[in-house]
Each structure stands twice: as C-alpha cells, then as structure tokens.
C-alpha cells in the first residue's frame, strides 16, 4: 500500500516516528534529495486518520521538491507532520523526541515551521538537532519570512507584468488582493508605495481597516473580490480560490499572489489560459519564505536574502519562456522547469568525484 503511494509520487523515504512517553506520532517524508538535503516545514494537525497524515506529508514534501528546484536552490523536498492538536498536545518532550528523529536522518531532512508550529516549538527541536531552520534570530535564525515572501512576490509580479503587458510598472496596474495577513499586508504596502490602485478583502475587519488607513487601499466585501474590475488578482489567503465557480467572474488579466495551491484543480490552470489570463505559478512566486530559511543553513545574511528574492523575477521569466517554447500552460511549465533542473543537475552529480577526508587518506596510508 505505502510503496504504491511512494512509487506514484516518486518518494525516496518515509519515516514513522514514535515515542510512547512523549506521545509522539509523526511522519517524515523525504521526496527527493537529488539537488540537496530535503528541507520542509513541520506541521502539527489533529489528522482524523493516519492515512490523512500520510497523504498530507507525501503531497507537501513533493511540493517542496518542486518549489526548491524551480527556485534554483540546492535543496530537495521533505516535510514532517505530527499527529496531534496544536492547542492541547504540545510539550517539550514531544518536540525533543521529534528532534531526535530528525537528527537520526543525519541532515537528509532539515525541518522548519509550518501550520500549527511556532518559533518556541522549534527551540525544543533545536535542543536535539542542528537540522532546523526558522528558529529565532537569537539562535542565528532568519525570523519571520513573510516580508521576504511579499518582496519576492513583487519580483514575480514584475516578471508576470512584463510577460502579460510588455512592461513591469507595478504602479500602472490595479490589484484585487484577497487576504491581508502577514504576507498580504506587506504586499499591498509595496504595491501602494509604487502608486498602484489596490482593492482588499479579508475576514478580519481590523486588517481591512489597517490596509485602508495605513496604506490607502480600497475595501471590498469578501465575495466581491472575484468581481473587481482590476488587472491583477492576488490571492494571499487560502488555496483553491481559482476554481470553476470563480473563473467565469474574473475580469482580471493576470493572477499573481502569495497563497499556496491557488488552482483548485489543474484544469483550472487550462481554463484561465483559455480565457487569456496569465497565471504566475504560485510556488515560484511565493518561494521567498523558503529562500529565506535556506540561507540559515550556511549563515543567514539579509543582503544575500534580498539578492536571492530578486532571482524570482528570472525564475518566472524561465517559466513563461518554457510555456511558450512547449505550448503548454504556465502551471505545467513550472513543473517542467523543476523536473528539467533536477534531471540535469542530477546527471552532473553522477560521476564519482573521488573521495576526500582524513578517514579515506588514513586507509590509503594503511595499504
Ligand atoms: P496569514 O494567516 O497571516 O494571513 C492570511 C490572511 O487571510 C488572514 O488575514 C486571514 O484573515 C485571511 N483570510 C482567510 N480566509 C479568508 C477568506 N476566505 N477571504 C479573505 N481573507 C481570508 O498567512 P500568511 O503567512 O500571510 O500566508 C498567506 C498565504 O501565503 C498562505 O496561503 C500561505 O500558505 C502562503 N505563503 C506564506 C508564506 C510566508 O512567508 N508567510 C510563504 C509562502 C506561502
């Protein structure tokens, strides 16, 4: 059963982690390490069944492989899930037990924060393993990735504007932004700084008021966001909002935002394409968060982070070029770029480069 799933998605390894005393039931999935160690967040969720947890960790870890590959990072894709309620089941023992399992993988998997996990939980994990990112700045971490995600999304937006309109003047266009949380608020701020017209909506009325008062955005009702006569739709809340019910309402010419999994189903990507709406693939646009934590591996530096975010512009350009070259929708082109990079980089790593290190030299001397 499990091998069927691994074969379908192409995973390398799945580790079931159990510690009775700590109440730990976790799964770590390593999808692909051709480009580097598998980096991906740890999610804590009260999954109804073990199968639900397995499905989630397999799907998410595969997604990380594609995000890292498309973003030019030397990282593979992995993910961890803890089965439990983040409101009631957290303890020091739980996270330290999880940390020991991460450590046992010897760097094949590097963990980070995801849904249900906060920076304090990661500090427990850090007590047991160094293979952790997204810890507090005092431990050499990179802090909240959201401003970087927003900045990176604007780089992706510029590339998308260039592809769709032939110029990248952010301020010339109008935007319908759904969700003004950590990423969305920073995103609208950057848009407004360039003089763009920005419509916003959020289930949180206070956030909407802040966007209006502090950044001069225009508020619209929750469901009306799909009908706004703006050039660009920027989903920055939930996934699945580009679906067969919403697409017919779109007057947008471009979809570019930070939310994960924006297309409800793949055929929605085909449908927007048919309607002449350019879709900027979400996992390439919102890779700033991953890029930011990836820099913790060999020493975080904010200048390197900003430089790296700017490569999102080029990455989107490559995706649009592949879409044109192969006559395929952009969501498929993003996958193709990732797969091509894994295949080509995987091949250059194939020849054996000789062995270094004292252990090997010692053996040579002993011969
Ligand atoms: P967040 O929770 O801070 O913000 C989400 C906002 O969306 C909240 O203000 C929430 O009230 C609002 N919202 C929820 N449902 C809504 C609805 N139906 N209509 C309108 N608004 C709604 O989360 P975030 O960190 O800003 O992340 C936003 C999105 O970007 C998520 O999809 C996340 O997976 C993705 N993302 C975030 C990062 C990051 O660095 N934080 C990185 C990559 C991707």
């Amino acid at each position: 059963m499990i091998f069927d799933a691994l074969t379908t998605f192409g995973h390398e390894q799945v580790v079931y982690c159990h510690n009775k005393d700590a109440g730990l039931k976790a799964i770590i999935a390593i999808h692909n390490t051709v480009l580097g160690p598998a980096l991906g967040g740890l999610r804590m969720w009260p999954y109804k069944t073990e199968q639900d947890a397995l499905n989630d960790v397999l799907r998410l870890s595969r997604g990380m492989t594609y995000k890292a590959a498309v973003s030019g990072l030397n990282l593979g894709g992995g993910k961890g899930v803890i089965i439990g309620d983040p409101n009631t089941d957290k303890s020091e023992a739980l996270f330290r037990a999880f940390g020991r399992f991460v450590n046992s993988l010897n760097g094949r998997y590097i963990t980070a924060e995801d849904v249900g996990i906060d920076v304090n939980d990661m500090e427990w994990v850090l007590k047991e393993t160094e293979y952790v990112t997204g810890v507090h700045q005092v431990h050499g971490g990179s802090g909240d990735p959201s401003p970087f995600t927003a900045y990176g999304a604007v780089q992706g937006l510029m590339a998308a504007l260039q592809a769709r309109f032939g110029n990248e003047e952010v301020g010339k266009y109008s935007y319908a932004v759904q969700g003004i949380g950590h990423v969305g608020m920073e995103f609208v701020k950057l848009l407004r700084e360039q003089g763009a017209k920005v419509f916003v909506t959020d289930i949180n009325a206070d956030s909407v008021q802040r966007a209006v008062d502090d950044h001069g955005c225009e508020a619209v009702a929750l469901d009306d966001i799909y009908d706004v006569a703006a050039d660009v739709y920027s989903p920055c809340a939930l996934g699945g909002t580009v679906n067969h019910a919403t697409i017919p309402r779109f007057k947008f010419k471009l979809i570019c935002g930070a939310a994960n999994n924006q297309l409800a189903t793949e055929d929605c990507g085909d449908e927007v394409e048919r309607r002449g709406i350019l879709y900027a693939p979400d996992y390439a646009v919102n890779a700033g968060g991953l890029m930011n934590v990836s820099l913790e591996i060999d020493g975080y530096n904010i200048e390197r982070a900003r430089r790296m975010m700017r490569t999102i512009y080029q990455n989107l350009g490559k995706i649009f070029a592949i879409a044109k070259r192969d006559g395929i929708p952009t969501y498929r082109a993003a996958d193709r770029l990732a797969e091509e990079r894994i295949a080509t980089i995987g091949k250059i790593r194939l020849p054996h480069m000789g062995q270094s290190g004292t252990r090997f030299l010692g053996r040579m001397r002993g011969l």
Side-chain angles (χ1 to χ4, degrees), residues 229-247:
D231 301 305
V232 185
Y233 172 47
S234 298
C236 292
L238 310 168
T241 63
V242 179
N243 57 50
H244 290 300
T246 58
I247 294 170

Side-chain angles (χ1 to χ4, degrees), residues 280-308:
D282 47 16
Y283 67 79
V285 171
N286 69 20
L290 174 63
M291 290 178 167
N292 205 48
V293 293
S294 79
L295 288 170
E296 290 181 26
I297 295 171
D298 47 16
Y300 187 71
N301 169 320
I302 196 162
E303 265 320 301
R304 277 181 71 202
R306 284 196 164 264
R307 269 192 78 190
M308 202 180 232

Side-chain angles (χ1 to χ4, degrees), residues 43 67 114-115 144-150 177-185 201-204 207 222 225-226 235-239 241 257-261 282 286-290:
R43 179 170 286 197
K67 188 183 285 208
D114 195 68
V115 176
D144 179 8
S146 309
F148 293 92
T149 303
V177 181
Q178 181 187 50
I180 32 177
H182 287 95
V183 180
M185 191 66 85
T201 195
D202 198 294
I203 49 176
N204 183 334
S207 301
L222 279 177
I225 197 78
Y226 305 114
C236 292
L238 310 168
T241 63
N260 275 312
N261 306 318
D282 47 16
N286 69 20
L290 174 63

Side-chain angles (χ1 to χ4, degrees), residues 193-315:
E193 278 172 4
Q194 301 204 43
K197 173 118 187 104
V198 180
F199 299 89
V200 292
T201 195
D202 198 294
I203 49 176
N204 183 334
D206 291 343
S207 301
V208 174
Q209 202 53 49
R210 261 185 60 211
V212 172
D213 293 345
D214 297 354
H215 303 306
C217 298
E218 191 170 315
V220 298
L222 279 177
D223 190 56
D224 293 349
I225 197 78
Y226 305 114
D227 304 309
V228 172
D231 301 305
V232 185
Y233 172 47
S234 298
C236 292
L238 310 168
T241 63
V242 179
N243 57 50
H244 290 300
T246 58
I247 294 170
R249 296 165 62 180
F250 287 179
K251 295 175 207 69
F252 314 118
K253 301 176 186 75
L254 178 62
I255 300 168
C256 182
N260 275 312
N261 306 318
Q262 293 168 19
L263 302 177
T265 50
E266 288 197 339
D267 62 346
C268 295
D270 302 325
E271 180 59 20
V272 290
E273 175 96 3
R274 255 196 304 280
R275 290 171 182 257
I277 304 169
L278 180 68
Y279 168 64
D282 47 16
Y283 67 79
V285 171
N286 69 20
L290 174 63
M291 290 178 167
N292 205 48
V293 293
S294 79
L295 288 170
E296 290 181 26
I297 295 171
D298 47 16
Y300 187 71
N301 169 320
I302 196 162
E303 265 320 301
R304 277 181 71 202
R306 284 196 164 264
R307 269 192 78 190
M308 202 180 232
M309 303 306 139
R310 290 197 280 273
T311 62
I312 293 177
Y313 180 95
Q314 279 89 27
N315 299 337

Side-chain angles (χ1 to χ4, degrees), residues 64-133:
M64 293 308 294
T65 296
Y66 280 80
K67 188 183 285 208
V70 101
S71 305
L73 297 171
N74 290 320
L75 290 172
K79 203 85 186 183
V81 295
I82 293 180
I83 301 172
D85 187 334
N87 297 314
T88 52
D89 298 340
K90 286 187 178 181
S91 68
E92 174 182 354
L94 181 86
F95 288 106
R96 291 185 66 162
F98 180 77
R100 290 186 73 82
F101 280 105
V102 171
N103 205 50
S104 74
L105 290 165
N106 232 349
R108 273 176 57 69
Y109 168 65
I110 301 171
T111 196
E113 277 173 55
D114 195 68
V115 176
I117 300 293
D118 65 37
V119 93
N120 302 311
D121 306 327
M122 277 299 147
E123 292 196 13
W124 297 128
V125 178
L126 183 66
K127 286 198 185 297
E128 301 295 338
T129 182
E130 60 180 304
Y131 302 117
V132 189
T133 57

